[in-house]
Amino acid sequence: MRRRLYIVRISLVHPKFTFVSDFDGVWTNPKKELQSVHDTVKSHLLEISGWSKSKVEEVYAAFGQEVFQSPKNYGWRIEGRFSSFVDEDYFAVPTSIAQYIDDAPCDDARSLKNLILKDFDSVLAFVDTCYLSSCESFRDKVSHDLVDGSESVLRWLIDNNVQIVFATNAPYEKVRDWLGEYDLEVADARDNNFKSSPIRVYGRSGKQHLAENSKILNFGGRPVFCDRPEYLSILAEENPDFVLGDVLSLDLSQPIAMRVNSHSSAPFAVGIMDLPHTPDWVLESVGEGPEKVDYLVSHVTSLPRIIQEIRTKQYDYGTVS
């Protein structure tokens, strides 16, 4: 009874606040899951090539080094355009190595490409299959890989009238099951019967899909395609106060473009995770102005402080409804 009265009191003190967040890389430690993808790719390359394990390891590592020598030329490439770049997107590393194989700039890459195309329509199809199988296998083996402090932060958000909306390229079931380990109920955001649920998820959100004539914004000298219609429809529906992600291109270029274009559903603030691999061009994009990233977030445990600060600014600027 006391807890119920507490929640009601807090909800009266704080107006509703909508928080749209990515999931993997923000609330999770993706290192182990990424390694499982690498292992699956190498296992398949070992099988189709007939090479020794040591050669596959050596060649795969060499391809990775080549990719990071020119990160603006590698990443999540879809129909010739980059949806994200390898130096910002943890999960784009295997895809980038597959891109290197597909470009076939050396004998080993050409050999592997020819072997892959005997069984797959494209090298991208090959790596997508590896992603799918390894991520499903990882989720079968691991109950969750959420970062420390996640549960307490999520409960603070709920108690303080923050509507949590995950827009993620992971499946809805992953978020539901992992947060279920904390006995948190998670609703499918596409089900209109659960619009008032405190935690909702847009799984397979399609952030990577670009508009045919997408505009480009420049972040720290890196041109980024920012028009992502599937993601835009989510943001327009949710009208967020704050958007948080770990990959600037995927998670933040669209909401920042909305601010630049004075879109009616543009977020008041956006934030990027400060992770060990976060590149300089992303860090240089943090600053003041609608075209900038407002907050560099070290860990999800910083969110209560940040959201309280945003609420104060909204009140000062007269934007609280």
Side-chain angles (χ1 to χ4, degrees):
M1 187 65 178
R2 286 183 180 177
R3 181 159 181 84
R4 182 172 298 173
L5 289 172
Y6 172 76
I7 292 174
V8 170
R9 181 177 64 82
I10 289 296
S11 67
L12 290 173
V13 171
H14 295 300
K16 180 182 175 183
F17 184 102
T18 301
F19 169 45
V20 171
S21 175
D22 188 36
F23 187 67
D24 287 313
V26 176
W27 297 89
T28 73
N29 181 355
K31 186 176 181 179
K32 293 178 183 177
E33 189 167 8
L34 175 63
Q35 188 57 52
S36 74
V37 178
H38 283 307
D39 291 343
T40 300
V41 174
K42 289 185 286 186
S43 176
H44 282 297
L45 293 179
L46 179 66
E47 181 180 345
I48 66 175
S49 68
W51 294 350
S52 67
K53 184 177 181 180
S54 61
K55 179 173 181 179
V56 170
E57 293 280 358
E58 179 183 347
V59 168
Y60 193 81
F63 290 174
Q65 290 175 356
E66 289 295 326
V67 162
F68 277 98
Q69 288 295 317
S70 184
K72 67 180 181 180
N73 295 320
Y74 291 94
W76 196 347
R77 186 174 67 180
I78 302 174
E79 297 181 349
R81 297 182 297 174
F82 287 105
S83 188
S84 65
F85 297 96
V86 67
D87 54 350
E88 60 167 340
D89 187 354
Y90 214 57
F91 275 100
V93 179
T95 301
S96 298
I97 292 174
Q99 180 195 330
Y100 185 86
I101 293 172
D102 194 40
D103 291 344
C106 66
D107 289 342
D108 285 336
R110 281 189 290 273
S111 177
L112 290 174
K113 178 179 181 178
N114 291 334
L115 291 168
I116 289 170
L117 293 181
K118 289 181 179 180
D119 297 320
F120 295 88
D121 292 335
S122 67
V123 179
L124 182 60
F126 161 74
V127 77
D128 282 348
T129 299
C130 293
Y131 266 105
L132 182 62
S133 63
S134 58
C135 288
E136 288 181 348
S137 175
F138 182 81
R139 291 196 294 273
D140 287 340
K141 297 174 183 176
V142 178
S143 60
H144 74 81
D145 203 12
L146 296 161
V147 298
D148 292 342
S150 295
E151 180 183 10
S152 61
V153 172
L154 289 167
R155 293 195 184 281
W156 182 93
L157 295 173
I158 294 170
D159 288 349
N160 284 270
N161 204 20
V162 176
Q163 172 72 64
I164 306 161
V165 181
F166 291 108
T168 173
N169 282 339
Y172 156 71
E173 293 78 9
K174 176 182 180 178
V175 184
R176 179 198 64 194
D177 293 347
W178 284 21
L179 295 188
E181 292 294 316
Y182 293 150
D183 294 324
L184 291 166
E185 293 188 8
V186 178
D188 187 338
R190 295 185 175 91
D191 189 334
N192 291 326
N193 294 318
F194 296 97
K195 287 296 184 183
S196 61
S197 297
I199 303 178
R200 295 182 297 117
V201 179
Y202 289 93
R204 304 297 189 199
S205 60
K207 294 179 184 179
Q208 75 275 22
H209 297 305
L210 305 173
E212 183 176 352
N213 297 310
S214 175
K215 295 182 178 64
I216 291 175
L217 288 177
N218 192 293
F219 295 97
R222 185 73 58 89
V224 175
F225 290 105
C226 57
D227 293 331
R228 300 162 187 259
E230 293 184 34
Y231 190 25
L232 175 61
S233 68
I234 292 171
L235 295 169
E237 173 70 21
E238 297 299 333
N239 194 24
D241 296 282
F242 180 42
V243 178
L244 176 65
D246 66 310
V247 180
L248 191 154
S249 297
L250 285 176
D251 302 323
L252 300 185
S253 64
Q254 178 64 80
I256 288 174
M258 293 168 73
R259 299 204 305 184
V260 170
N261 296 326
S262 300
H263 192 288
S264 59
S265 295
F268 184 85
V270 297
I272 189 79
M273 298 302 295
D274 185 12
L275 302 174
H277 65 272
T278 304
D280 288 343
W281 65 271
V282 171
L283 298 176
E284 291 169 6
S285 302
V286 178
E288 296 182 0
E291 77 287 356
K292 293 288 189 178
V293 177
D294 302 288
Y295 291 94
L296 187 63
V297 182
S298 59
H299 193 272
V300 294
T301 50
S302 301
L303 288 175
R305 172 185 57 80
I306 291 171
I307 287 175
Q308 287 175 326
E309 182 177 316
I310 294 171
R311 274 179 158 153
T312 299
K313 289 180 178 179
Q314 288 178 313
Y315 181 82
D316 290 343
Y317 298 160
T319 60
V320 177
S321 58

